[in-house]
PDB file of all heavy atoms in Angstrom:
ATOM      1  N   TRP A   1       0.389   1.995   1.970  1.00  0.00           N
ATOM      2  CA  TRP A   1       1.667   2.225   1.304  1.00  0.00           C
ATOM      3  C   TRP A   1       1.594   1.637  -0.096  1.00  0.00           C
ATOM      4  O   TRP A   1       1.214   0.476  -0.274  1.00  0.00           O
ATOM      5  CB  TRP A   1       2.824   1.574   2.063  1.00  0.00           C
ATOM      6  CG  TRP A   1       3.223   2.285   3.318  1.00  0.00           C
ATOM      7  CD1 TRP A   1       2.826   2.001   4.587  1.00  0.00           C
ATOM      8  CD2 TRP A   1       4.117   3.400   3.415  1.00  0.00           C
ATOM      9  NE1 TRP A   1       3.418   2.863   5.476  1.00  0.00           N
ATOM     10  CE2 TRP A   1       4.215   3.740   4.780  1.00  0.00           C
ATOM     11  CE3 TRP A   1       4.847   4.144   2.487  1.00  0.00           C
ATOM     12  CZ2 TRP A   1       5.011   4.783   5.237  1.00  0.00           C
ATOM     13  CZ3 TRP A   1       5.633   5.186   2.945  1.00  0.00           C
ATOM     14  CH2 TRP A   1       5.706   5.490   4.301  1.00  0.00           C
ATOM     15  N   PHE A   2       1.960   2.443  -1.076  1.00  0.00           N
ATOM     16  CA  PHE A   2       2.061   2.026  -2.464  1.00  0.00           C
ATOM     17  C   PHE A   2       3.481   2.263  -2.944  1.00  0.00           C
ATOM     18  O   PHE A   2       4.236   3.029  -2.335  1.00  0.00           O
ATOM     19  CB  PHE A   2       1.087   2.810  -3.341  1.00  0.00           C
ATOM     20  CG  PHE A   2      -0.364   2.477  -3.122  1.00  0.00           C
ATOM     21  CD1 PHE A   2      -1.036   2.913  -1.994  1.00  0.00           C
ATOM     22  CD2 PHE A   2      -1.056   1.723  -4.057  1.00  0.00           C
ATOM     23  CE1 PHE A   2      -2.365   2.616  -1.793  1.00  0.00           C
ATOM     24  CE2 PHE A   2      -2.396   1.418  -3.875  1.00  0.00           C
ATOM     25  CZ  PHE A   2      -3.044   1.863  -2.738  1.00  0.00           C
ATOM     26  N   ARG A   3       3.837   1.619  -4.048  1.00  0.00           N
ATOM     27  CA  ARG A   3       5.151   1.852  -4.620  1.00  0.00           C
ATOM     28  C   ARG A   3       5.056   1.865  -6.140  1.00  0.00           C
ATOM     29  O   ARG A   3       4.176   1.251  -6.733  1.00  0.00           O
ATOM     30  CB  ARG A   3       6.160   0.803  -4.156  1.00  0.00           C
ATOM     31  CG  ARG A   3       5.869  -0.614  -4.627  1.00  0.00           C
ATOM     32  CD  ARG A   3       6.819  -1.594  -3.954  1.00  0.00           C
ATOM     33  NE  ARG A   3       6.689  -2.939  -4.472  1.00  0.00           N
ATOM     34  CZ  ARG A   3       7.367  -3.981  -4.017  1.00  0.00           C
ATOM     35  NH1 ARG A   3       8.240  -3.831  -3.020  1.00  0.00           N
ATOM     36  NH2 ARG A   3       7.182  -5.184  -4.562  1.00  0.00           N
ATOM     37  N   GLN A   4       5.985   2.572  -6.752  1.00  0.00           N
ATOM     38  CA  GLN A   4       6.025   2.667  -8.197  1.00  0.00           C
ATOM     39  C   GLN A   4       7.469   2.597  -8.668  1.00  0.00           C
ATOM     40  O   GLN A   4       8.282   3.467  -8.340  1.00  0.00           O
ATOM     41  CB  GLN A   4       5.365   3.957  -8.682  1.00  0.00           C
ATOM     42  CG  GLN A   4       5.196   4.020 -10.191  1.00  0.00           C
ATOM     43  CD  GLN A   4       4.239   5.117 -10.612  1.00  0.00           C
ATOM     44  OE1 GLN A   4       4.027   6.088  -9.896  1.00  0.00           O
ATOM     45  NE2 GLN A   4       3.642   4.959 -11.782  1.00  0.00           N
ATOM     46  N   ALA A   5       7.771   1.568  -9.432  1.00  0.00           N
ATOM     47  CA  ALA A   5       9.088   1.387 -10.014  1.00  0.00           C
ATOM     48  C   ALA A   5       9.119   1.999 -11.411  1.00  0.00           C
ATOM     49  O   ALA A   5       8.072   2.146 -12.054  1.00  0.00           O
ATOM     50  CB  ALA A   5       9.444  -0.096 -10.081  1.00  0.00           C
ATOM     51  N   PRO A   6      10.305   2.353 -11.913  1.00  0.00           N
ATOM     52  CA  PRO A   6      10.394   2.920 -13.262  1.00  0.00           C
ATOM     53  C   PRO A   6       9.765   2.007 -14.303  1.00  0.00           C
ATOM     54  O   PRO A   6      10.036   0.804 -14.337  1.00  0.00           O
ATOM     55  CB  PRO A   6      11.901   3.065 -13.484  1.00  0.00           C
ATOM     56  CG  PRO A   6      12.461   3.205 -12.112  1.00  0.00           C
ATOM     57  CD  PRO A   6      11.620   2.315 -11.249  1.00  0.00           C
ATOM     58  N   GLY A   7       8.909   2.576 -15.142  1.00  0.00           N
ATOM     59  CA  GLY A   7       8.262   1.822 -16.200  1.00  0.00           C
ATOM     60  C   GLY A   7       7.114   0.946 -15.758  1.00  0.00           C
ATOM     61  O   GLY A   7       6.556   0.215 -16.592  1.00  0.00           O
ATOM     62  N   LYS A   8       6.747   0.988 -14.492  1.00  0.00           N
ATOM     63  CA  LYS A   8       5.669   0.158 -13.979  1.00  0.00           C
ATOM     64  C   LYS A   8       4.556   1.011 -13.386  1.00  0.00           C
ATOM     65  O   LYS A   8       4.751   2.164 -13.026  1.00  0.00           O
ATOM     66  CB  LYS A   8       6.187  -0.821 -12.924  1.00  0.00           C
ATOM     67  CG  LYS A   8       7.131  -1.887 -13.442  1.00  0.00           C
ATOM     68  CD  LYS A   8       7.453  -2.897 -12.356  1.00  0.00           C
ATOM     69  CE  LYS A   8       8.314  -4.024 -12.878  1.00  0.00           C
ATOM     70  NZ  LYS A   8       8.604  -5.021 -11.816  1.00  0.00           N
ATOM     71  N   GLU A   9       3.380   0.408 -13.288  1.00  0.00           N
ATOM     72  CA  GLU A   9       2.230   1.058 -12.676  1.00  0.00           C
ATOM     73  C   GLU A   9       2.377   1.057 -11.160  1.00  0.00           C
ATOM     74  O   GLU A   9       3.011   0.173 -10.577  1.00  0.00           O
ATOM     75  CB  GLU A   9       0.958   0.328 -13.091  1.00  0.00           C
ATOM     76  CG  GLU A   9      -0.331   1.036 -12.732  1.00  0.00           C
ATOM     77  CD  GLU A   9      -1.548   0.347 -13.320  1.00  0.00           C
ATOM     78  OE1 GLU A   9      -1.382  -0.409 -14.298  1.00  0.00           O
ATOM     79  OE2 GLU A   9      -2.653   0.563 -12.807  1.00  0.00           O
ATOM     80  N   ARG A  10       1.791   2.045 -10.522  1.00  0.00           N
ATOM     81  CA  ARG A  10       1.786   2.084  -9.072  1.00  0.00           C
ATOM     82  C   ARG A  10       1.047   0.871  -8.522  1.00  0.00           C
ATOM     83  O   ARG A  10      -0.041   0.520  -8.986  1.00  0.00           O
ATOM     84  CB  ARG A  10       1.130   3.379  -8.593  1.00  0.00           C
ATOM     85  CG  ARG A  10       1.206   3.597  -7.097  1.00  0.00           C
ATOM     86  CD  ARG A  10       0.674   4.971  -6.720  1.00  0.00           C
ATOM     87  NE  ARG A  10       1.437   6.032  -7.351  1.00  0.00           N
ATOM     88  CZ  ARG A  10       1.261   7.321  -7.115  1.00  0.00           C
ATOM     89  NH1 ARG A  10       0.344   7.725  -6.245  1.00  0.00           N
ATOM     90  NH2 ARG A  10       2.002   8.220  -7.754  1.00  0.00           N
ATOM     91  N   GLU A  11       1.640   0.209  -7.528  1.00  0.00           N
ATOM     92  CA  GLU A  11       1.048  -0.992  -6.978  1.00  0.00           C
ATOM     93  C   GLU A  11       0.899  -0.894  -5.470  1.00  0.00           C
ATOM     94  O   GLU A  11       1.693  -0.257  -4.781  1.00  0.00           O
ATOM     95  CB  GLU A  11       1.874  -2.233  -7.341  1.00  0.00           C
ATOM     96  CG  GLU A  11       3.252  -2.274  -6.717  1.00  0.00           C
ATOM     97  CD  GLU A  11       3.977  -3.581  -6.976  1.00  0.00           C
ATOM     98  OE1 GLU A  11       3.364  -4.526  -7.517  1.00  0.00           O
ATOM     99  OE2 GLU A  11       5.174  -3.670  -6.631  1.00  0.00           O
ATOM    100  N   PHE A  12      -0.119  -1.578  -4.976  1.00  0.00           N
ATOM    101  CA  PHE A  12      -0.389  -1.628  -3.544  1.00  0.00           C
ATOM    102  C   PHE A  12       0.646  -2.477  -2.839  1.00  0.00           C
ATOM    103  O   PHE A  12       1.044  -3.535  -3.333  1.00  0.00           O
ATOM    104  CB  PHE A  12      -1.786  -2.206  -3.317  1.00  0.00           C
ATOM    105  CG  PHE A  12      -2.088  -2.533  -1.888  1.00  0.00           C
ATOM    106  CD1 PHE A  12      -2.425  -1.532  -0.993  1.00  0.00           C
ATOM    107  CD2 PHE A  12      -2.032  -3.835  -1.432  1.00  0.00           C
ATOM    108  CE1 PHE A  12      -2.704  -1.823   0.331  1.00  0.00           C
ATOM    109  CE2 PHE A  12      -2.312  -4.142  -0.113  1.00  0.00           C
ATOM    110  CZ  PHE A  12      -2.647  -3.125   0.765  1.00  0.00           C
ATOM    111  N   GLY A  13       1.069  -2.013  -1.654  1.00  0.00           N
ATOM    112  CA  GLY A  13       1.994  -2.784  -0.845  1.00  0.00           C
ATOM    113  C   GLY A  13       1.400  -3.268   0.460  1.00  0.00           C
ATOM    114  O   GLY A  13       1.409  -4.465   0.749  1.00  0.00           O
ATOM    115  N   ALA A  14       0.859  -2.339   1.257  1.00  0.00           N
ATOM    116  CA  ALA A  14       0.325  -2.690   2.566  1.00  0.00           C
ATOM    117  C   ALA A  14      -0.707  -1.662   2.998  1.00  0.00           C
ATOM    118  O   ALA A  14      -0.614  -0.489   2.634  1.00  0.00           O
ATOM    119  CB  ALA A  14       1.443  -2.764   3.611  1.00  0.00           C
ATOM    120  N   GLY A  15      -1.689  -2.097   3.793  1.00  0.00           N
ATOM    121  CA  GLY A  15      -2.707  -1.207   4.313  1.00  0.00           C
ATOM    122  C   GLY A  15      -3.034  -1.534   5.753  1.00  0.00           C
ATOM    123  O   GLY A  15      -2.818  -2.661   6.210  1.00  0.00           O
ATOM    124  N   ILE A  16      -3.574  -0.549   6.468  1.00  0.00           N
ATOM    125  CA  ILE A  16      -3.881  -0.712   7.883  1.00  0.00           C
ATOM    126  C   ILE A  16      -5.140   0.074   8.216  1.00  0.00           C
ATOM    127  O   ILE A  16      -5.356   1.173   7.704  1.00  0.00           O
ATOM    128  CB  ILE A  16      -2.676  -0.277   8.752  1.00  0.00           C
ATOM    129  CG1 ILE A  16      -2.882  -0.650  10.217  1.00  0.00           C
ATOM    130  CG2 ILE A  16      -2.403   1.218   8.593  1.00  0.00           C
ATOM    131  CD1 ILE A  16      -1.600  -0.539  11.042  1.00  0.00           C
ATOM    132  N   SER A  17      -5.985  -0.497   9.082  1.00  0.00           N
ATOM    133  CA  SER A  17      -7.241   0.130   9.459  1.00  0.00           C
ATOM    134  C   SER A  17      -7.005   1.281  10.429  1.00  0.00           C
ATOM    135  O   SER A  17      -5.895   1.503  10.911  1.00  0.00           O
ATOM    136  CB  SER A  17      -8.180  -0.901  10.079  1.00  0.00           C
ATOM    137  OG  SER A  17      -7.609  -1.483  11.241  1.00  0.00           O
ATOM    138  N   TRP A  18      -8.081   1.988  10.752  1.00  0.00           N
ATOM    139  CA  TRP A  18      -7.980   3.234  11.514  1.00  0.00           C
ATOM    140  C   TRP A  18      -7.305   3.062  12.865  1.00  0.00           C
ATOM    141  O   TRP A  18      -6.602   3.968  13.333  1.00  0.00           O
ATOM    142  CB  TRP A  18      -9.365   3.852  11.699  1.00  0.00           C
ATOM    143  CG  TRP A  18     -10.265   3.046  12.606  1.00  0.00           C
ATOM    144  CD1 TRP A  18     -11.074   2.009  12.254  1.00  0.00           C
ATOM    145  CD2 TRP A  18     -10.431   3.223  14.009  1.00  0.00           C
ATOM    146  NE1 TRP A  18     -11.740   1.524  13.355  1.00  0.00           N
ATOM    147  CE2 TRP A  18     -11.358   2.253  14.439  1.00  0.00           C
ATOM    148  CE3 TRP A  18      -9.896   4.109  14.945  1.00  0.00           C
ATOM    149  CZ2 TRP A  18     -11.759   2.136  15.774  1.00  0.00           C
ATOM    150  CZ3 TRP A  18     -10.289   3.992  16.274  1.00  0.00           C
ATOM    151  CH2 TRP A  18     -11.209   3.017  16.677  1.00  0.00           C
ATOM    152  N   ASN A  19      -7.524   1.909  13.512  1.00  0.00           N
ATOM    153  CA  ASN A  19      -6.956   1.677  14.838  1.00  0.00           C
ATOM    154  C   ASN A  19      -5.819   0.659  14.822  1.00  0.00           C
ATOM    155  O   ASN A  19      -5.347   0.254  15.882  1.00  0.00           O
ATOM    156  CB  ASN A  19      -8.045   1.217  15.801  1.00  0.00           C
ATOM    157  CG  ASN A  19      -8.662  -0.111  15.412  1.00  0.00           C
ATOM    158  OD1 ASN A  19      -8.435  -0.626  14.319  1.00  0.00           O
ATOM    159  ND2 ASN A  19      -9.467  -0.671  16.315  1.00  0.00           N
ATOM    160  N   GLY A  20      -5.402   0.253  13.646  1.00  0.00           N
ATOM    161  CA  GLY A  20      -4.340  -0.733  13.527  1.00  0.00           C
ATOM    162  C   GLY A  20      -4.768  -2.160  13.750  1.00  0.00           C
ATOM    163  O   GLY A  20      -3.921  -3.058  13.754  1.00  0.00           O
ATOM    164  N   GLY A  21      -6.076  -2.401  13.923  1.00  0.00           N
ATOM    165  CA  GLY A  21      -6.547  -3.735  14.221  1.00  0.00           C
ATOM    166  C   GLY A  21      -6.537  -4.696  13.049  1.00  0.00           C
ATOM    167  O   GLY A  21      -6.551  -5.912  13.260  1.00  0.00           O
ATOM    168  N   SER A  22      -6.523  -4.178  11.836  1.00  0.00           N
ATOM    169  CA  SER A  22      -6.520  -5.008  10.640  1.00  0.00           C
ATOM    170  C   SER A  22      -5.434  -4.529   9.699  1.00  0.00           C
ATOM    171  O   SER A  22      -5.237  -3.322   9.532  1.00  0.00           O
ATOM    172  CB  SER A  22      -7.872  -4.957   9.933  1.00  0.00           C
ATOM    173  OG  SER A  22      -8.907  -5.459  10.756  1.00  0.00           O
ATOM    174  N   THR A  23      -4.745  -5.472   9.078  1.00  0.00           N
ATOM    175  CA  THR A  23      -3.731  -5.164   8.077  1.00  0.00           C
ATOM    176  C   THR A  23      -3.906  -6.070   6.876  1.00  0.00           C
ATOM    177  O   THR A  23      -4.473  -7.163   6.980  1.00  0.00           O
ATOM    178  CB  THR A  23      -2.309  -5.328   8.634  1.00  0.00           C
ATOM    179  OG1 THR A  23      -2.130  -6.669   9.102  1.00  0.00           O
ATOM    180  CG2 THR A  23      -2.056  -4.357   9.776  1.00  0.00           C
ATOM    181  N   VAL A  24      -3.415  -5.622   5.738  1.00  0.00           N
ATOM    182  CA  VAL A  24      -3.442  -6.419   4.528  1.00  0.00           C
ATOM    183  C   VAL A  24      -2.166  -6.131   3.749  1.00  0.00           C
ATOM    184  O   VAL A  24      -1.671  -4.997   3.744  1.00  0.00           O
ATOM    185  CB  VAL A  24      -4.705  -6.132   3.686  1.00  0.00           C
ATOM    186  CG1 VAL A  24      -4.746  -4.687   3.225  1.00  0.00           C
ATOM    187  CG2 VAL A  24      -4.804  -7.079   2.504  1.00  0.00           C
TER     188      VAL A  24
END
């Protein structure tokens, strides 16, 4: 999941591995 606010660059929010075993 990424997000982009007005006037800002797109930024990383959260990530998850193929089986859900790892998140960041």
Side-chain angles (χ1 to χ4, degrees):
W1 286 96
F2 290 74
R3 65 188 186 183
Q4 188 165 24
K8 293 187 176 181
E9 190 173 339
R10 186 174 300 186
E11 66 174 352
F12 170 78
I16 189 167
S17 60
W18 68 273
N19 63 349
S22 298
T23 58
V24 62

